[in-house]
Amino acid sequence: MNESLFTVFYALAHRSPTLDWGIIFFAVWWPWLVGLAAIVAAIALAVRDRLPHRAVFIIFVPMVAWFIAHLFK
């Protein structure tokens, strides 16, 4: 499956600057924007409900998982 997806995206490369920009945007910047939105949502919910431990949990757990994954790599 990975090879077939790679072939599809590779066939689309350098055909349209807009499409190239879109693929690069979703591959590089989209995960950062989704992560930032999750952090903002966690903080907003914690402030609204006055539960700061919820925001700490939502933000801290993925950071620890990321660190452990990179440690093992």
Side-chain angles (χ1 to χ4, degrees), residues 1-68:
M1 181 173 157
N2 287 339
E3 186 176 331
S4 62
L5 283 175
F6 174 77
T7 304
V8 168
F9 284 117
Y10 187 75
L12 296 173
H14 305 297
R15 299 212 180 206
S16 165
T18 306
L19 184 61
D20 288 346
W21 180 86
I23 291 171
I24 291 169
F25 173 79
F26 282 107
V28 175
W29 296 106
W30 186 251
W32 290 101
L33 292 175
V34 170
L36 181 64
I39 290 170
V40 169
I43 292 171
L45 286 174
V47 168
R48 184 189 73 182
D49 297 339
R50 294 194 172 111
L51 297 171
H53 63 278
R54 180 187 295 171
V56 170
F57 182 77
I58 291 172
I59 295 168
F60 184 69
V61 170
M63 288 175 56
V64 170
W66 177 84
F67 178 75
I68 292 170

